[in-house]
Every structure is written in structure tokens, then in C-alpha cells.
Amino acid sequence: MTRYLSRRLFLMVPLLLGVSLITFILLYLVPGDPVHSLVGERASPETIENIRRELGLDLPVHVRYSRWLGRTLRGDLGRSWVTHRPVRESLVTRFPVTLRLSVLAFTFSSVLGVSLGIVVAVREDRGIDHPAHRLLIAGQSVPVIYLCLLFMYVFGVWMGVAPISGLGDGSLRHFLLPAGALGLYTAVPKARMTRSAMLEVLRQDYVRTARAKGLPEGAVIWRHALRNAMVTVVTVLGSGLSNLLVGSVLTETVFGLPGIGKLQIDAVWARDFPVVMGCFIFQALVLSLCNFVVDLAYAWVNPRIRLE
Amino acid sequence: MRSVRLLGRHRAAKVGMGIVAGLVAMALFAPVLAPYPPDHMELGRVLAPPGRTNLLGTDYFGRDVLSRIIFGARVSLTVGVVAQLLAASLGVTLGLLAGYLGGWADLAIMRLVELVLCFPDLLLAIGLSVALGPGPYTLFLALGLVGWPGMTRLVRGEVLALREREFLEAARAAGASTGRLLRVHLFPNCLPTVLVALTGGMASCIMAEASLSFLGLGAQPPTPSWGSMLSLGRPYLHHAPHLVIFPGLAIALAVFGFSLLGDGLRDVLDPRWACSRPPATSRPGRGGGPHGQAGRS
Amino acid sequence: MRARAVAMLLCLAAMGCRPSGAVPVPAPDRYGGVFRGAWNRNPVTLDPAYVVTILDATACALIYNGLVRFDERGRVVPDLAVALPEVSPDGRTYVFELRRGVTFSNGRELVADDVVYSFRRVLDPATASRRAWVLEALEGAEAFSRGATGELPGVRAEGSHRVVITLVAPQAHFLSLLAMPAAYVLAREEVERHDDPRDYGFHPVGTGPWILDTWIPGSRLYFRANRDYFEGRPYLDALEFRIIEDPATALAEFRAGNLHLLRLGPAEYGAFLADPRWRDCLVACPDLAVYYLGFNCEKRPFNDPRVRRAINHAIDRIAILEAVLPGRYILANGSVPPGLAGHDAGLEGYAYDPDLARRLLAEAGYPRGFRMEILQTPSPGSLQLTEPIQRMLAAVGIRARLVQLETSAFFATIGDGGNPDSFLVSWWADYPEAENFLYPMFHSRNRGAGGNRARFADPEVDRLLDLARYTLDAGKREALYREVERRVFAQTPWVPLYFPVNYLVHQPWVGGYVPCPVPNAQKMTGVWLGPQPRSHEARETTQR
């Protein structure tokens, strides 16, 4: 078990290196450099040269990468080319926003998704489900940006019950709409997977036996079926993380929330390489760590893995 | 043939097929179906709400929203088909090779797959689109290059399962070359899985196209694309919500159609999936089941 | 149509320019309160050496002072200097007497050495300032900014309160340059306090009326009043600016009374103007900027003036602008906005006449038109202009393709890095002078990245511009600039589109707000908050 886990942790290193390399190469391929938008109008060629040298743009790509890597390994992600703010500081100040959004959305979507999945599965098991299942597929077909815009319109503009966008004073009500939209969006796949898992369990012999014994249906579902379906549910919750991350990038962009995703998209537009690199690495790291935790949880609920 | 008949009996698949057929018809016959040319402007009739002259209203140039949505089907479908074909050809080839050759090749290919899967797909697509610069081929390439690893995983799994089967042994004993083995024996057996994944992939491609266009990285104006209609309509959310509501519905409907069709295909073609099993390989991240690709972005 | 727009503008401008506010309050009762505003983006930096954007200039104006500044009408007035400087007869030497008793917000008194330090810092190659060109006329600036010498004879302190500036050659608009953010005065010890001088931009210290208290990036900035400000403390206790990118959100917050001032988006202007409750609170603010479709005058077929004229005749500018920006534009026929000395109201534009356009194209040898590209940045605003233009060009046989480039790539391409056909771009004034439009955009010396994106070249225009820049007599200078503009637009290097007009609306209980066309003229010192009517919340609900 320990060996398995340490191997998993160790494997993250080449992965992160790969991510940074791919990101770096992509950024290197980007046509043009940001110098022209940095200097504004009327800068002399010397000024432009000067800034290019300051940013290290005159160096060959492998030198730039190894320099970046060296600094990053020392914990220094560099400074934004546009604002001069240290990238790490930007990540640290913006992470709480993303975290808050993600945790709220995750909680909402987990509760909603899992319970919806169970309800649908139980009903389907009795042969009354199909429309609900179709509804789930329909739900999965709504792009998160559209969901965000609909939420903005319905709750923000039309009903006026919550702030339309922005962080405001950072209070919870500013997170209502984004977390709601993102939560709803990520709830659907969870519901679908929970439904499948529950269905499979419900068709197992021991459930039939329990029913045959005359146990009340509630007890059958809670005590027997659900507990066994939990193995899958843990995976379901974990597998939503990547989705959540992408969703949060788009949600933050639409709602103008100053989180990591917004930072990243803005930096991509501004060709702010150090910030883009920092965001990608940070996300890859968070994602790998989350997956690692999910693996732990998975191994914990599923003894078969532990033996491997 | 049997599958086609089965599909005809599958209710969800029928609905899906209906929607997809409708979309294809919309794209093919757009000039006939649309009441106005998509870029016909009436500067005197801007931001008109839905009504008799313009069923779904007009935008900030007085262009007919319905007509633009109809023409938008062309963009979405083209991007979806081309990107999926690209992803499939890349993914299937690598998957076959990895699964069949095993050893070194397998290791290298699968490490690459894992690496690409490490990026959340939409973020990778954003990076690629920025790197390639906006243009007609950017979307194809970006979405195609993002889609292949899932396909590779699937095909490899399929091949691994087939590798030790007798008919392959027999073919090998009869002296068939590796290329022939892959083409004639392995590939056709993977086809159902690939087909299911392709259909699901279409759904996610349409969504991803919308998201990229929403961020301004997709179709270039004046091409009417659903995603860019969303993005350009957004400032008018207060006064002309129809600019956002209808294109979004179009996206959702298209994705819905392809998802239903994909599910139906899966039930029919791939009996293993018929009784709602949880994705066997459901690992955190993508590439879970054949449907693992859908439902992103 | 144009006359109407202008009339409306003038009327609104008149309304706006009187210090407004529903209930007049005697001056002693105006103190206190927190002003709540919104910015649509996060400022990039508050270090004057790196300020490029208008928002950064606006923010820096609150914190810093220069030797001189612009007043709300764009005139240069003394700021840290006691009076406008004495200028030597040859126009090369400026002597400034500094005010006494001016302190930085860290408590130290400002002295002449601070001015010298600040100017040297901007020119120092180690600073890599984006705005070194502002001070490039100083004697010795060229060698100093190359790093060839540590001497900068162009600026020196004489005693503790006198600064002497010498120029290489006379420059008619030099005082305007000194009012720009790049010439703000900052304290050396505050810059050097940080291990990395780049951190200074987030902890700025100046002599201005406001002191930066908190800055949460992407969220809000909070400035408190400098009670020791040398012109007397501002009325307000503090300013809070929230970053609100989405105009709909800003509108909702304003209507809920949570914002005191709002910059109106295109969709809202009509509703506010029609509403009698708000009419008195609307403030028109013409921007010192021009939007235009530029041609690459060096490239075929745009090197033929007939082709450029044909395109001008093919575009119905008024129809486009009325649809897209009703009431928010002044039709441009030249490059210098109204309100600047040198603006020529008599310039005539090219009327919409597609038949004439086709005839001109045929004459130039393109009876069946040609293909061209229009470059632009990916903002919805520019698309709203280029998409109709594209259609109108198609009507005369020109097949235009719209190419959206990311901002930096766009400026690189229309600068020296590419060979575009045409491009939609705007030019925003750094200082309110006709020179700031005509010299960078039409002098052949500034071809490409220097500002002359149209690659326009005319030796006579060059000569007149050089002459005007050294002409110290204001009347003569204005005449020269008018002549330049007539010569340039007779050759149609552009399709001039419009001068933007912005509308601001403030709450009825906000007093003393005067709009400033030059962004860094707004010091917010005269703004005060009257008693807020209690019924306010009840009155406003979110508009459907």
C-alpha cells in the first residue's frame, strides 16, 4: 500500500515536468510577443529592445526553459510581464476565490448529483424511470457558459435576487450564482454515474435476498445497496474534479470573479507568459494532488486495490 | 444490419437521430431554410425582440437571429466532424499500435496519453488555439489534438482484449503481416467502440467549439457561430436576452441529440454497456468509458 | 444627424460642466463620506514609469503630482510648482520654483532632488520605462538612456526648491509632456525600500490628495484622503473603486445606490437620457480620441488615392454610427478632436455615394473590385463597426475579410512587424494638443510603430509639422496644424470614423463632479456627498 502510494506520488514529478514543457513550447509557438502591448504607443526601438532583453525574449528557447525551471524549483515562479507582480503572490491572493467557488459548487453538486442519481436509480429499478434519465442527458448537454448566462439573466437581471457578477465585498451572496451554475453543471455527470452504480448494486443477488427477506425498501437501499455503491460514488466524486476545474475557469470568466481561472484567461490574452505558466503548473499540481487523495480514498473503500 | 434495426427500436436513439438529422438538414439547406441571409443587416431594426418579421428577433445590426442560428449549424457540425475525424485517425492508429505491439511502443504512447490527459482538455484547447493563432483550421486542430488520447486508451483496451483470441492466432499462423492484422482483423473489431466514442465526441466538440468561440478563440466573424453569438450577445443581457437565450438553446439541443445517439449506439453496438454498468475503467480524469469524453467543458 | 449629435453633446456638456448636485450644500458641511466608484478593469501598476493605460493614469493622478498638471479643461496649470515656469527666450530652458511645505504621504518634505531623481529614473535604462520618450527632449537624455553616461544635464536642482530643465531644442508642447504620469514626482527612499524595485508599483507613495490604503487585485482599491494635501484636504474621507467588468452588474449596482458614479454602456444611455430623474445627473465627457479605418498607403492598391477615396465613399458612416453608437459619437472628418486648438470644424468628409465609389474604382483599374483584409482587435466594439463596413464594401465589389488579432499581435502587425491592408484602430491623446495627433500619426519619421500606421508620407506635411513643433506662438501653431490636417485629409490616408463621447451618470446627492477629457486631470478633490434621500432604496428596483 505504502509502496503503491509513494509510486503514485513519485509519478507526479515527470508528469508536472511534462506539463510545464508542453505549456512552455505552446507559449513559445505563440505568434508575436507581448512587448508591443506593454510599451504602448510611441516607444522607441531602443525601449522595445530594452524590454525584450529584460524579459529574456532574446534568449534561445532551451535557455529560457531551463532558467524558468531552475527558478521554479527554487520556489520562484517569476513575475508577471505586464504588472510586475510576483506570480506566486497572484496565485496566493486569487486561490481563495477559486477554492471558495469550487468547494461551494462541489458540495452542492455532490449532494444534488448523488441524491438525484439514487432517486433515479431506485425508480428505474422499479421500472418507472426513463424520462428522468433522459433529463439527465439533457442536463449534461447544457454548456456551462450558457448555464452561467441563464443564471445571470434569470436570478440577476430578471428576479434581481443576487448580484449579477463580480466579487463585490467577497461575501457569500456574490458566490451564489456562479456556484449554483457550476454546481448544477457538475452535478449531472455525478448523478448519471451514481445512477449506474446504484442500478448495478440493486440488481445484485444480496439486494434481492434482502428484499425477499421482507426488509422495508428504505432499509434495503440505505443499508445494503448504498453502502456498496459508495465505492463507485467516491470515484464519481473524484472524477468530477477535472470537470470542476475547467468549469471554474469558464465560470470565473463569465462572472468576472478574480480567481485563478480568470487570471489564467486574462494572462493568455495578454501573452503574460510567467503567469500562464504559473497557472498551468498550479492547476496540474492541484489536480494531481486531488487525484492522489481520491486514489487514497478509493484504496480505502475498495480492499481489492490495496492488495495490488 | 441487425444493429440498424435495433437502433430503430431504441427510443432514445431515435430521438437523437431525429435531432442530428434535423441539424444536418439545417446545415445542408441553410440558404433555403433561413428567412434571411445570415449577414443581412437592417441598421434601422436593431435589437428587435422576437416577433412576426423576425421569429427570434434581431441582433445589434438588425440581423435575423434565427437565420444566423440556422447557418451556425454549419460551423458547429463542420468543426465537430473534422476535429473528430482527426482525433479518431490519430487515436485509433496509436491505440492499435500500443495495444498490439505492446512493450516499448505501448509504454511510450501511453505515457504521452497520460501527459496530454493531465491538462484539462478545454485548457489545452485554449492553449493550442492561442498558439496557432485564430484562423479556420485552428479549431479543427485544437479540438482534434485534444480528443485523441481518450480514443487511444479505448482502442488499446479493446486490442488488449482481442490480442490473445484464436482468430488472431490463426491469422498470425497463416502468415499475415502486422499491418494486415491491424487493418483487417483488429480494426473492424474496434469499430463499434470507435463509432460510439465518435458520436459522444461530436457532442463534446460542439460544446468545446462554443466555449472557445465564446472566449473569442473560435470562428471568426462574420461567420455565424453559436458560441460567438453568445459572447457578442452577452452585453445585451439586460435589454435583449434573446441574443443569448436562443443560440444557447441551439447548442444544448445539438449536444443533446448527439449524446442520445451516442448512448443509443452504445447500447446497441456494445452489449457490454447495455445494462448500465458503471465505467469499468472509471479513473479520476477523463477517458472513463466510451462516453467518458462527453460532458466536458 | 451630425448637427443633432453635436447640439445634444454641447447641451449636455454645458449641463455637466456646472458643478452639479441636486441639493447645494455649503462648503463647510461637505466634508466626509466615502465615494464609491467602479473601474472595469484592474489597474496594471501605480508606478508612473510603467503607466501606459488610461486607467492607470487615472489612478496615478489620485496619488501623485507633477511639476504642472492639466485642469478639467485640459489647460496646463502649476501643480508642485508655484507658478508656470520662466522659459528662456530660446525656448530651451525652463525654471520651476517648487511649493514649500509639500510632503509625501510618508511625511518627508518634497525637494528639488526628488524631481531630478524621478526624471532620471524614467530615463534610466535599468528602469526599462515604457515612457522614456516623454522626457527624451531633455539635454543629454539620449546618451543617458542608452546607458552611455551617468550624466543627465537636462534636469538639475538649484538649492532645495528650484528645478532647472534644459532641452536639446525648443518644444512647443513640452509643458504638456510634464503633466503626463511619467513626469510625476516620487520619493527615492520609497522606491528603494523594496528588495525588488518592481514591488514599488503596488505600494505607491506620492504627494497627491489620496493615499492608497488597500489594493485587492481584481477586486477593489481603497484610497483615503491625504489630510495634509497642500491644496487642502479633499472633501471626501475616502474613495473606493470596485473592479466590475460586466456593465450589466455595474448598472445594477448603480441603480441599487451602491455606486455613486457610472460610466454608461451603449445600451443604457438612451434609458437614462429619457428618464427625467436622471437627466440632471448625466454628464457628457467627450474623449480626446479618434477611431479610424487606416489604409496602408504604401501597399497596392491602397497606394492609389482614388482607391482610398472610393472606399471612403462606399461606407455610410452615419448609418453605422447611428445604429451602433447613437448619441455617443461625433462624426470625424479629420484626426484632431473638437475642443483642441487646431480642430478644424470646416473639414468636409466624403459623402456616402456607392456609385461614385464604383466609378472611382473603375478609374483606378479595379472595375470588379479586389480582396482586402481589415485587421482589428477582438473587441465586440470593433466588430460592431467592421461588420457593417464589410457589407458596404461588398456592395461596391470589394471583398473584405475581417482578421481579429490579439492586441499585441495587432499592434506589432500594423506597426513595423507586418504589411497590413487596412486596420481599425483608435488613437487616444496623451496630452491635449493637436500635435499629439498629427505628429505621431502623419509624420513620416513615425512610420509604423511610431504611430503613423497608415505609412503616410508627404514631405510638405513633414516640414509643416517640424515647424509647428518648434513654433512657440500659439496662434501661428494652430494655423499650421490646421493646414497640416487639410493637406493630410485631402489625400485620404484613412476613413475617419468618430470621436467618442462618453456619458457618466452620478447619484443625485453627489456634488462637485466635473468631467475631465484628459484622464489624469481628475483629482477628485472637489467632489462631495450631500445628504442621501432615505427613499432611495424604495425608488429603485432592478430594471427589467
Side-chain angles (χ1 to χ4, degrees), chain A residues 31-44 46-48 50-51 54-55 79 81-86 89 93-94 152 156-160 163-170 173-174 253-254 256-258 262 266 268-271, chain C residues 42-45 50 52 125-133 145-146 196 198-199 202 215 217-220 242-246 248-249 252-253 258 378 406-409 411-412 426-427 430-431 435-436 439-440 449-450 453 469 542-544:
Chain A
D33 58 45
V35 173
H36 281 272
S37 51
L38 292 182
V39 295
E41 320 291 350
R42 297 180 76 170
S44 65
E46 295 89 65
T47 310
I48 292 181
N50 212 345
I51 291 169
E54 181 202 319
L55 302 179
R79 278 170 187 263
W81 286 357
V82 179
T83 66
H84 287 171
R85 237 175 238 279
E89 187 194 305
T93 48
R94 280 158 192 260
M152 277 168 116
V157 177
W158 192 32
M159 294 164 64
I164 304 174
S165 82
L167 186 60
D169 51 1
R173 53 189 209 105
H174 292 272
T253 311
V254 178
L257 287 179
K262 180 90 179 50
D266 288 349
V268 163
W269 277 119
R271 305 286 194 268
Chain C
N42 195 36
V44 172
T45 176
Y50 301 111
V52 179
T127 310
S129 164
R130 287 85 173 103
R131 290 294 175 141
W133 61 265
S145 63
R146 258 192 300 119
D196 190 323
R198 288 175 295 189
D199 281 331
F202 318 115
W215 178 2
S219 183
R220 67 188 197 104
R242 283 162 56 195
I243 316 293
I244 304 180
E245 294 189 0
D246 175 32
T249 308
E253 291 286 295
N258 298 333
E406 172 278 328
T407 316
S408 194
F411 281 109
S426 58
W427 179 269
D430 295 305
Y431 44 88
E435 186 270 349
N436 192 212
Y439 172 72
R453 278 79 178 250
R469 274 162 62 86
T542 314
Q543 194 195 27
R544 293 216 170 164

Side-chain angles (χ1 to χ4, degrees), chain C residues 408-425:
Chain C
S408 194
F410 173 77
F411 281 109
T413 312
I414 68 171
D416 298 324
N419 192 18
D421 291 339
S422 69
F423 42 87
L424 177 81
V425 73

Side-chain angles (χ1 to χ4, degrees), chain C residues 293-312:
Chain C
L293 178 75
F295 301 113
N296 180 350
C297 298
E298 288 174 356
K299 188 175 177 181
R300 266 171 60 89
F302 309 101
N303 55 356
D304 186 336
R306 283 171 302 191
V307 170
R308 305 199 294 256
R309 221 161 64 223
I311 295 179
N312 265 284

Side-chain angles (χ1 to χ4, degrees), chain A residues 120-232:
Chain A
V120 171
V122 169
R123 306 204 60 196
E124 187 165 355
D125 193 44
R126 295 182 206 145
I128 15 178
D129 148 84
H130 288 275
H133 184 208
R134 296 288 101 74
L135 208 64
L136 285 183
I137 303 188
Q140 194 160 348
S141 310
V142 183
V144 66
I145 42 171
Y146 186 46
L147 213 51
C148 290
L149 290 171
L150 281 185
F151 265 57
M152 277 168 116
Y153 179 65
V154 174
F155 298 110
V157 177
W158 192 32
M159 294 164 64
V161 291
I164 304 174
S165 82
L167 186 60
D169 51 1
S171 65
L172 195 63
R173 53 189 209 105
H174 292 272
F175 283 91
L176 282 182
L177 294 191
L182 182 57
L184 194 59
Y185 169 72
T186 44
V188 181
K190 286 179 184 154
R192 289 191 72 186
M193 290 170 86
T194 311
R195 165 190 161 272
S196 313
M198 268 307 272
L199 271 182
E200 194 184 19
V201 174
L202 285 174
R203 286 169 190 168
Q204 299 282 327
D205 290 336
Y206 61 85
V207 175
R208 295 213 185 118
T209 320
R211 277 194 187 135
K213 273 197 301 192
L215 277 181
E217 187 65 19
V220 172
I221 286 161
W222 281 110
R223 237 179 273 151
H224 294 266
L226 195 57
R227 188 174 294 171
N228 283 288
M230 273 324 276
V231 178
T232 330

Side-chain angles (χ1 to χ4, degrees), chain B residues 179-269:
Chain B
R180 196 181 147 73
L181 269 177
L182 290 179
R183 238 178 346 188
V184 179
H185 296 283
L186 283 173
F187 178 60
N189 276 298
C190 299
L191 209 55
T193 319
V194 171
L195 215 58
V196 171
L198 267 183
T199 320
M202 276 297 288
S204 42
C205 250
I206 290 175
M207 269 226 222
E209 189 272 331
S211 304
L212 286 180
S213 297
F214 181 80
L215 295 174
L217 292 164
Q220 297 294 298
T223 319
S225 133
W226 295 338
S228 52
M229 288 173 80
L230 274 189
S231 130
L232 294 175
R234 193 192 143 181
Y236 299 89
L237 202 60
H238 253 91
H239 307 272
H242 63 271
L243 291 189
V244 164
I245 290 176
F246 297 118
L249 275 181
I251 301 171
L253 194 69
V255 176
F256 184 52
F258 277 103
S259 303
L260 278 184
L261 185 61
D263 277 15
L265 274 178
R266 190 182 60 195
D267 289 351
V268 171
L269 291 177

